[in-house]
Amino acid sequence: MLLHIPAILAPAQVAEFRAALDAADWSDGRATVGAQGARVKHNRQLPEDSPLARQLGDRILAALARHPLFFAAALPLRIVPPLFNRYEGGEHYGLHVDGSIRNLPGTATRLRTDLSCTLFLTEPGDYDGGDLVIVDTYGTHEVRLPAGDLILYPSTSLHRVEPVTRGARTSAFFWLQSLVRDTERRRLLFELDQTIQQLRARLGETEETVALTGQYHNLLRMWSDT
């Protein structure tokens, strides 16, 4: 499931992030990938142990915890702290798939990457190129979102970032392990949740919405791993 989640960060927050990131010291993005990824990755990142990356990443995690649409779609169990990348002057990232296992920094804990996330921090009109291109069974999708918005997609998807030919594209990116491993089950739960929310908004709390909510939680109880 490919899902656009709007307004993770408000415009004022995006402006704060951009001011801090524009003044940051960036390093070679190949430092955080394996040998295969290093052959096609040409961008810059904040180092994983950067105090600025940790500070801004914590603010993103707090914003995600307050966003009901993100929680409903992702059902997060563990989230890798956000990283930050920057593309300009023709930089790009060739076609690749994200690694299946990530370590939580500073711990011995590993997580399975079920979902990948890109949080855009640059307005689309501020740069040319730089589209996130995701390939799945439904075809090829070009993603270019307003600053503060996030794209959520399965980590099993092949994807690339097109060369940035004007301006600079700055984003946060991260991975998560979901409570529900199976993509199709997670999609069904999300659609059921959204239907319940729509019925509740139209009809109020009724016997039917209570019954559907019970079915949702029973399915989540059956399918989740904790």
Side-chain angles (χ1 to χ4, degrees):
M1 182 174 67
L2 186 71
L3 186 65
H4 170 196
I5 303 179
I8 298 293
L9 297 178
Q13 292 175 301
V14 171
E16 288 182 51
F17 276 51
R18 284 292 308 281
L21 292 169
D22 286 346
D25 291 325
W26 296 86
S27 60
D28 192 328
R30 290 175 291 183
T32 58
V33 295
Q36 183 180 22
R39 289 197 291 268
V40 296
K41 186 176 186 180
H42 303 280
N43 69 359
R44 284 161 296 145
Q45 289 180 196
L46 288 189
E48 290 190 54
D49 59 355
S50 160
L52 178 60
R54 289 198 299 268
Q55 174 193 352
L56 298 183
D58 286 345
R59 293 179 63 183
I60 290 173
L61 293 176
L64 294 173
R66 298 189 297 267
H67 203 292
L69 185 61
F70 174 81
F71 184 86
L75 296 172
L77 175 61
R78 298 184 183 92
I79 302 178
V80 176
L83 299 171
F84 297 85
N85 60 22
R86 188 176 181 93
Y87 296 82
E88 62 183 324
E91 291 174 323
H92 63 283
Y93 197 165
L95 194 66
H96 65 284
V97 64
D98 292 334
S100 56
I101 303 294
R102 300 284 301 190
N103 288 325
L104 287 177
T107 76
T109 302
R110 296 180 177 179
L111 62 79
R112 182 185 64 245
T113 55
D114 295 325
L115 291 165
S116 299
C117 306
T118 296
L119 174 61
F120 288 77
L121 298 172
T122 310
E123 293 295 348
D126 291 344
Y127 61 97
D128 291 336
D131 288 6
L132 172 62
V133 180
I134 300 169
V135 182
D136 63 17
T137 55
Y138 293 98
T140 300
H141 313 275
E142 297 179 353
V143 181
R144 187 184 185 88
L145 300 182
D149 289 12
L150 178 144
I151 190 72
L152 179 73
Y153 60 98
S155 297
T156 53
S157 303
L158 288 168
H159 56 285
R160 67 180 186 269
V161 176
E162 299 283 38
V164 172
T165 58
R166 178 186 65 86
R169 172 194 186 272
T170 305
S171 303
F173 64 100
F174 54 96
W175 303 269
L176 65 89
Q177 180 173 334
S178 178
L179 286 162
V180 177
R181 177 175 186 161
D182 183 81
T183 299
E184 184 64 16
R185 289 177 176 179
R186 195 166 56 243
R187 182 186 67 80
L188 290 171
L189 285 168
F190 175 67
E191 292 178 355
L192 178 56
D193 173 84
Q194 295 303 288
T195 299
I196 292 168
Q197 300 306 322
Q198 293 165 10
L199 288 172
R200 187 174 285 129
R202 187 190 311 164
L203 305 174
E205 198 67 90
T206 66
E207 290 183 7
E208 289 78 11
T209 59
V210 171
L212 285 172
T213 301
Q215 292 168 8
Y216 170 88
H217 283 286
N218 287 334
L219 287 171
L220 181 57
R221 187 175 291 112
M222 182 187 304
W223 291 340
S224 63
D225 299 314
T226 60

